[in-house]
Amino acid sequence: MAKKMPARDQIVKLIVGAGQASPSPPVGPALGSKGVKSMDFCKVCVPCRRPRFAYPRRQEFNARTAHIQPGIPMPARVTVRPDRSFSFELRTPTTSWLLLQAAGVKEIKNRIRGAQKPGTETVGTVSLKHVYEIAKIKQSEMRLSGLSLEGLCKSVIAQAKSIGINVVP
């Protein structure tokens, strides 16, 4: 007879607009399939009348992103434990979104991602100063803090080339 495997934590990766999490897709189905109530992830923290002895009141997504401009896509990594409790870690906005904002690109029409060869179609330009600022934003993230700023700048430049943004000195 086979041994029963112990339950393990599950990871859910989401990209949600700052302050705009709601139980509708993509949040609801992603967390609901893991047994987590999506309202618990979304709600704004309100003061609790009765004290909680075991766990401090945790801030949920909308409360944690209240200081950020609404709508900025914030990646979140949600860890769902076997007892259906969860914790989540916020990350910085994606590099491609930061590059498109720095280039001033509002909307890309009639363009299918991956359809063109990198470096052939240009949608905007950014300066090295923008690249440096984006690299500093990304370095503030805990998982990237050990990387050198030069390495992060090279990574940002490579990302810019792949989405059709020219980097000028």
Side-chain angles (χ1 to χ4, degrees):
M1 192 155 131
K3 289 184 180 179
K4 195 160 198 162
M5 294 292 294
R8 295 186 296 178
D9 292 352
Q10 296 179 339
I11 306 293
V12 179
K13 295 178 183 177
L14 298 170
I15 298 180
V16 184
Q20 297 178 338
S22 66
S24 61
V27 176
L31 294 179
S33 67
K34 307 296 184 204
V36 174
K37 295 179 184 171
S38 55
M39 275 307 293
D40 292 342
F41 174 78
C42 300
K43 68 184 170 190
V44 176
C45 186
V46 289
C48 189
R49 290 195 177 135
R50 61 187 174 123
R52 292 193 177 195
F53 300 106
Y55 303 102
R57 183 79 170 146
R58 63 176 185 257
Q59 285 189 331
E60 308 310 340
F61 185 85
N62 288 339
R64 265 206 232 171
T65 58
H67 67 282
I68 300 170
Q69 180 182 354
I72 294 178
M74 297 296 296
R77 185 175 183 211
V78 184
T79 305
V80 180
R81 294 183 204 88
D83 63 351
R84 295 186 181 172
S85 63
F86 68 93
S87 63
F88 67 95
E89 165 191 349
L90 287 177
R91 297 190 171 176
T92 56
T94 60
T95 306
S96 58
W97 186 85
L98 291 169
L99 282 166
L100 289 171
Q101 293 302 306
V105 178
K106 297 291 183 208
E107 191 176 326
I108 301 173
K109 291 186 178 182
N110 300 328
R111 181 171 172 214
I112 300 171
R113 190 175 291 268
Q116 83 285 355
K117 295 177 184 170
T120 58
E121 184 183 339
T122 308
V123 294
T125 59
V126 295
S127 67
L128 283 175
K129 181 180 178 184
H130 290 115
V131 170
Y132 177 75
E133 292 299 321
I134 292 170
K136 282 181 68 171
I137 291 170
K138 296 304 275 185
Q139 194 177 34
S140 69
E141 198 170 311
M142 183 59 79
R143 67 188 178 103
L144 299 174
S145 62
L147 298 175
S148 69
L149 202 55
E150 180 183 353
L152 283 172
C153 285
K154 287 180 181 179
S155 174
V156 170
I157 291 170
Q159 178 75 23
K161 183 177 180 183
S162 73
I163 62 173
I165 294 178
N166 286 338
V167 178
V168 295

